[in-house]
Amino acid sequence: MDDEGPNPQEKLLVIVEDDAAFARTLKRSFERRGYCVLTADSQAALLTILEQHHPKYAVVDLKLGAESGLVCVQALHAHDARMLIIVLTGFASIATAVEAIKLGASHYLAKPSNTDDIEAAFARSAGDTSTPLAPRPTSIKTLEWEHIHEVLKDSDFNISETARRLGMHRRTLARKLAKRQVG
């Protein structure tokens, strides 16, 4: 967590990310764009920040070690319902995207996402009714990927419990999670 106090005139952003190198990179990139950036690596660190600061923007990693970033999304939205919250994840699924939006996220982006992607998502917070409703063919691999991530979310991101619920070996599940989603 950063101890520096932000200038209230600036665009205040909080980044909730447990990967220190990625958080540092995002922080520097946003600072170059005129944001004042605070970082937290857990829900506890975020709550400490929120005691003294009122960010207008937030970027939250979905998986914070053993914690779910969804809890942070909920805390941020409760702190200020107008805050623009972007969820980043390497574990994208329809189930977690829906939950993130229900809890107050503005957008949900799959990693790798960069500062341009995040800032564009901040700008699109109102939604777009002209988004095409083209049917998307769903493959078996996509359905499996989404089901695994739904069970993973339901078991609080516990790999062993998820594997048990899916009836597969923990190492098999770990291999499936390490693979990129196939569309």
Side-chain angles (χ1 to χ4, degrees), residues 3-182:
D3 294 328
E4 303 166 7
N7 178 342
Q9 307 302 62
E10 297 184 58
K11 299 184 282 187
L12 184 55
L13 165 71
V14 63
I15 296 172
V16 186
E17 171 65 64
D18 62 337
D19 179 339
F22 184 60
R24 236 182 351 266
T25 300
L26 270 183
K27 180 179 192 289
R28 282 193 301 261
S29 184
F30 274 106
E31 286 173 340
R32 283 192 297 271
R33 293 171 186 234
Y35 289 81
C36 183
V37 182
L38 302 169
T39 59
D41 61 2
S42 67
Q43 178 191 8
L46 172 64
L47 294 176
T48 300
I49 287 173
L50 294 180
E51 288 174 4
Q52 297 179 358
H53 303 286
H54 297 283
K56 293 181 180 178
Y57 305 93
V59 176
V60 180
D61 187 11
L62 181 64
K63 191 167 186 308
L64 300 167
E67 295 180 351
S68 168
L70 293 175
V71 176
C72 295
V73 171
Q74 186 176 36
L76 287 162
H77 185 70
H79 184 72
D80 182 353
R82 294 168 298 159
M83 187 183 313
L84 297 177
I85 305 166
I86 307 299
V87 173
L88 294 181
T89 183
F91 302 95
S93 75
I94 291 172
T96 54
V98 168
E99 291 306 315
I101 300 301
K102 282 182 184 177
L103 292 169
S106 305
H107 276 282
Y108 183 93
L109 300 174
K111 287 182 179 178
S113 291
N114 60 30
T115 310
D116 290 334
D117 300 329
I118 296 166
E119 216 170 28
F122 284 146
R124 291 188 319 267
S125 63
D128 183 3
T129 58
S130 67
T131 301
L133 301 175
R136 182 180 137 238
T138 303
S139 69
I140 297 293
K141 288 187 182 286
T142 300
L143 290 173
E144 178 187 45
W145 179 263
E146 290 173 357
H147 180 65
I148 286 171
H149 283 85
E150 187 172 324
V151 174
L152 186 63
K153 180 188 77 67
D154 290 343
S155 61
D156 295 324
F157 298 93
N158 180 315
I159 299 294
S160 296
E161 177 60 18
T162 302
R164 187 190 65 72
R165 289 181 186 184
L166 291 171
M168 67 175 64
H169 194 280
R170 190 177 52 79
R171 280 187 237 145
T172 302
L173 176 59
R175 276 194 304 274
K176 287 180 180 287
L177 290 172
K179 291 182 180 179
R180 292 278 182 228
Q181 180 178 3
V182 178

